[in-house]
């Protein structure tokens, strides 16, 4: 028994033991771009390019991901291929697309991109996919030769940049770069003003409110030819720098872009951990995908609530706590294992989720009645599904625009993530 306890204490440390940044990395970014192509049944990865970018915005202490979130993961090993020196979970638009009807009939490709600190020596990059049982598998492997002259070294001097908020060095702060979308040259002053307004919104919400010294906001002044964004359902098409559009997967409010290459090219002007695309329209909508990107519109009456909601997705991998489109959980989830998102559960292993935070008086599952509307329990209806997927509280910013606040379960994760990025 004693042996077992010792082992349990050692294993988690071993898995998340951090490495010394200066032993393995230079203070800039290596970006690896590829295309992911396939359909509902199968997918493949095709190498596109490697780029060297001027800054590293991430932590120099927390190099190994300890969260185990995301549908995909990058694992970077040293020259021997055995010592893990950097890892990060993430999700992409392709992963959402494969759950659509279209993916049952045709194959499509999506451009994707991952970043890591620039290795000093030869290193081995593995791209991994999570399967339905929550096990990761390597699907692509690439040996990085840092001295190779095929690593693209483009200049980043076309647009001006500005640090709009924050005093800390990028290594010890959460760096958010806000990119302008659908702002013409003459509208760039509006962009700057809009971002200042959103920074105020951001710091009204916990845990950012009481940790406002841990965050930097940057902007890159890249204008679009035309104002606004594409609205396919209304046959409105605009020539904009990041090629965003509403009606993603035919959902009107779902605002995304497939132009990941341009997004990364603009973000690379400054050090960053998170990319936020601010879209110059008053239409309701947005999007947020874990360690991929955030989008929000500038002038809608709910823009304030949407801004933090999408950030919950992209920064802390939080699930939507509402039901939408699906009745039966089996359509989206393997009901023999817990979904990996921290703020939804199918009660298969509730201890691994927020059981420690639940109100002792609340039965699990928790009835949707007035008696429990302020309690932490397990309320049915979440993660796009009406039945057998549960959320922590009656309402949370990940469920509706009626509240600006994260529920205690979401808050705990956002706080942990903020600490991870600001050390
Ligand atoms: Zn929540």
């Amino acid at each position: 028994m004693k042996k077992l306890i010792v082992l349990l204490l050692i294993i988690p440390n071993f898995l998340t033991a951090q490495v010394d940044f200066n032993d393995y990395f230079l203070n800039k970014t290596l970006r690896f771009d590829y295309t992911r192509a396939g359909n509902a049944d199968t997918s493949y990865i095709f190498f596109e390019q490697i780029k060297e970018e001027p800054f590293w915005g991430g932590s120099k202490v927390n190099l190994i991901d300890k969260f185990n979130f995301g549908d995909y993961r990058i694992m970077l090993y040293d020259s021997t291929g055995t010592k893990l020196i950097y890892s990060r979970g993430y999700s992409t638009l392709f992963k959402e697309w494969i759950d659509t009807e279209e993916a049952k009939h045709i194959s499509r490709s999506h451009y994707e991109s991952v970043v890591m600190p620039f290795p000093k020596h030869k290193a081995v990059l593995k791209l991994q996919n999570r399967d339905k049982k929550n096990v990761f598998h390597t699907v692509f492997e690439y040996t990085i030769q840092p001295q190779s002259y095929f690593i693209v070294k483009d200049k980043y001097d076309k647009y001006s940049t500005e640090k709009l908020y924050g005093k800390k060095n990028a290594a010890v702060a959460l760096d958010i770069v806000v990119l302008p979308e659908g702002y013409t040259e003459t509208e760039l002053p509006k962009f700057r003003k809009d971002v200042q307004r959103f920074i105020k919104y951001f710091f009204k919400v916990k845990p950012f409110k009481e940790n406002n010294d841990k965050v930097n906001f940057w902007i890159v002044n890249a204008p679009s030819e035309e104002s606004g964004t594409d609205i396919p359902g209304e046959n409105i098409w605009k020539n904009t720098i990041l090629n965003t559009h509403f009606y993603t997967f035919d959902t009107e409010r779902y605002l995304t872009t497939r132009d990941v290459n341009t997004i990364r090219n603009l973000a690379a002007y400054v050090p960053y951990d998170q990319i936020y695309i601010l879209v110059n329209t008053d239409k309701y909508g947005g999007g947020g995908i874990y360690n991929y990107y955030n989008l929000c519109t500038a002038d809608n009456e709910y823009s304030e609530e949407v801004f933090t909601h999408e950030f919950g997705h992209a920064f802390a991998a939080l699930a939507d706590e509402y039901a939408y489109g699906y009745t039966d959980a089996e359509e989206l989830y393997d009901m023999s294992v817990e979904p990996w998102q921290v703020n939804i559960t199918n009660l298969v292993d509730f201890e691994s989720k927020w059981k420690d935070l639940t109100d002792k008086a609340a039965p699990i599952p928790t009835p949707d009645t007035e008696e429990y509307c302020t309690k932490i329990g397990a309320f049915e209806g979440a993660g796009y599904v009406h039945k057998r997927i549960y959320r922590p509280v009656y309402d949370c910013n990940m469920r509706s625009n009626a509240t600006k606040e994260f529920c205690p379960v979401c808050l705990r994760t956002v706080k942990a993530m903020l600490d991870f990025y600001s050390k």
Side-chain angles (χ1 to χ4, degrees):
M1 190 63 196
K2 207 171 187 181
K3 250 184 193 162
L4 181 71
I5 290 166
V6 171
L7 270 177
L8 285 174
L9 287 173
I10 290 170
I11 288 170
N13 284 336
F14 168 73
L15 282 175
T16 58
Q18 300 295 343
V19 299
D20 190 333
F21 186 90
N22 295 317
D23 287 349
Y24 295 98
F25 299 111
L26 299 168
N27 194 23
K28 52 189 175 181
T29 291
L30 184 127
R31 173 179 141 195
F32 185 87
D33 290 8
Y34 59 92
T35 292
R36 195 186 292 271
N39 50 50
D41 299 322
T42 187
S43 69
Y44 297 94
I45 281 173
F46 304 91
F47 172 62
E48 291 280 353
Q49 63 171 346
I50 303 186
K51 293 190 95 167
E52 177 186 316
E53 297 182 336
F55 307 103
W56 173 244
S59 170
K60 291 182 178 176
V61 177
N62 288 322
L63 295 162
I64 310 297
D65 191 340
K66 63 170 189 177
F67 292 97
N68 197 30
F69 298 158
D71 298 296
Y72 307 119
R73 185 165 82 175
I74 61 166
M75 305 284 272
L76 185 69
Y77 294 88
D78 71 348
S79 57
T80 67
T82 54
K83 186 179 167 65
L84 184 65
I85 55 175
Y86 182 81
S87 68
R88 201 70 11 141
Y90 65 109
S91 295
T92 70
L93 194 58
F94 181 87
K95 179 65 180 63
E96 298 182 9
W97 175 75
I98 60 178
D99 286 326
T100 66
E101 190 59 31
E102 188 180 52
K104 292 177 186 151
H105 307 291
I106 63 162
S107 293
R108 283 188 81 161
S109 68
H110 281 68
Y111 197 93
E112 295 185 359
S113 173
V114 289
V115 291
M116 61 213 82
F118 199 94
K120 274 184 176 170
H121 317 286
K122 189 179 100 175
V124 179
L125 175 66
K126 292 183 182 179
L127 303 186
Q128 300 187 329
N129 293 2
R130 184 194 292 268
D131 70 14
K132 292 227 162 193
K133 299 284 183 203
N134 275 335
V135 179
F136 281 100
H137 303 275
T138 299
V139 293
F140 193 85
E141 197 172 316
Y142 189 93
T143 300
I144 294 162
Q145 303 284 1
Q147 319 304 340
S148 167
Y149 50 64
F150 289 112
I151 297 178
V152 179
K153 297 167 192 73
D154 286 343
K155 283 198 178 67
Y156 294 89
D157 56 6
K158 192 174 174 189
Y159 306 114
S160 66
T161 66
E162 191 181 350
K163 193 183 199 183
L164 271 194
Y165 182 92
K167 291 192 176 70
K168 288 237 166 88
N169 181 287
V172 289
L174 166 66
D175 290 88
I176 303 168
V177 57
V178 187
L179 303 177
E181 164 68 346
Y183 290 83
T184 62
E185 187 82 51
T186 54
E187 287 174 322
L188 284 178
K190 175 183 186 292
F191 168 63
R192 190 176 183 278
K193 256 192 173 162
D194 286 346
V195 179
Q196 281 172 326
R197 176 166 51 90
F198 277 90
I199 291 171
K200 283 197 189 117
Y201 295 158
F202 188 77
F203 289 123
K204 275 200 229 167
V205 179
K206 287 184 280 190
F208 309 115
K209 193 180 182 172
E210 66 277 21
N211 291 283
N212 57 3
D213 60 328
K214 293 180 179 164
V215 184
N216 296 331
F217 274 94
W218 304 80
I219 56 171
V220 180
N221 295 306
S224 292
E225 285 293 315
E226 292 183 273
S227 189
T229 183
D230 298 346
I231 312 176
E234 295 170 30
N235 211 15
I236 292 171
W237 298 91
K238 301 285 185 176
N239 182 3
T240 55
I241 192 161
L242 295 174
N243 294 302
T244 61
H245 60 87
F246 285 95
Y247 283 88
T248 304
F249 311 140
D250 214 4
T251 294
E252 181 176 355
R253 65 163 192 268
Y254 196 15
L255 177 63
T256 66
T257 166
R258 291 157 45 78
D259 194 357
V260 170
N261 189 12
T262 308
I263 293 169
R264 285 280 195 214
N265 286 343
L266 290 189
Y269 273 72
V270 296
Y272 68 92
D273 298 295
Q274 281 287 317
I275 299 170
Y276 219 119
I277 299 165
L278 192 60
V279 184
N280 190 20
T281 170
D282 60 6
K283 193 171 164 65
Y284 177 70
I289 300 173
Y290 181 47
N291 282 341
Y292 188 66
Y293 58 50
N294 301 262
L295 296 102
C296 176
T297 65
D299 298 309
N300 186 266
E301 61 179 309
Y302 293 112
S303 288
E304 177 172 356
E305 289 80 3
V306 173
F307 191 76
T308 36
H309 173 92
E310 303 305 351
F311 200 71
H313 289 308
F315 179 55
L318 300 176
D320 279 312
E321 291 180 23
Y322 55 80
Y324 183 81
Y326 296 90
T327 307
D328 185 28
E330 305 271 357
E331 290 179 70
L332 276 185
Y333 300 92
D334 183 321
M335 294 298 277
S336 69
V337 292
E338 274 286 332
W340 58 261
Q341 294 90 340
V342 287
N343 61 329
I344 57 172
T345 178
N346 52 14
L347 300 177
V348 165
D349 181 14
F350 192 38
E351 282 78 10
S352 71
K353 292 294 173 65
W354 63 87
K355 193 167 185 234
D356 61 313
L357 293 178
T358 54
D359 203 294
K360 297 288 166 281
I364 305 295
T366 314
D368 250 350
T369 57
E370 219 181 326
E371 189 182 352
Y372 301 111
C373 71
T374 58
K375 303 268 189 277
I376 303 174
F379 295 82
E380 194 166 39
Y384 312 122
V385 174
H386 288 277
K387 295 278 170 204
R388 294 197 292 151
I389 298 289
Y390 304 85
R391 63 185 194 274
V393 295
Y394 181 74
D395 204 6
C396 163
N397 182 244
M398 296 314 292
R399 177 172 168 85
S400 87
N401 292 323
T403 173
K404 295 177 175 48
E405 298 292 334
F406 292 114
C407 72
V409 174
C410 291
L411 182 63
R412 175 163 72 178
T413 302
V414 175
K415 174 75 173 55
M417 198 60 88
L418 182 57
D419 287 344
F420 187 79
Y421 279 91
S422 56
K423 281 212 169 79

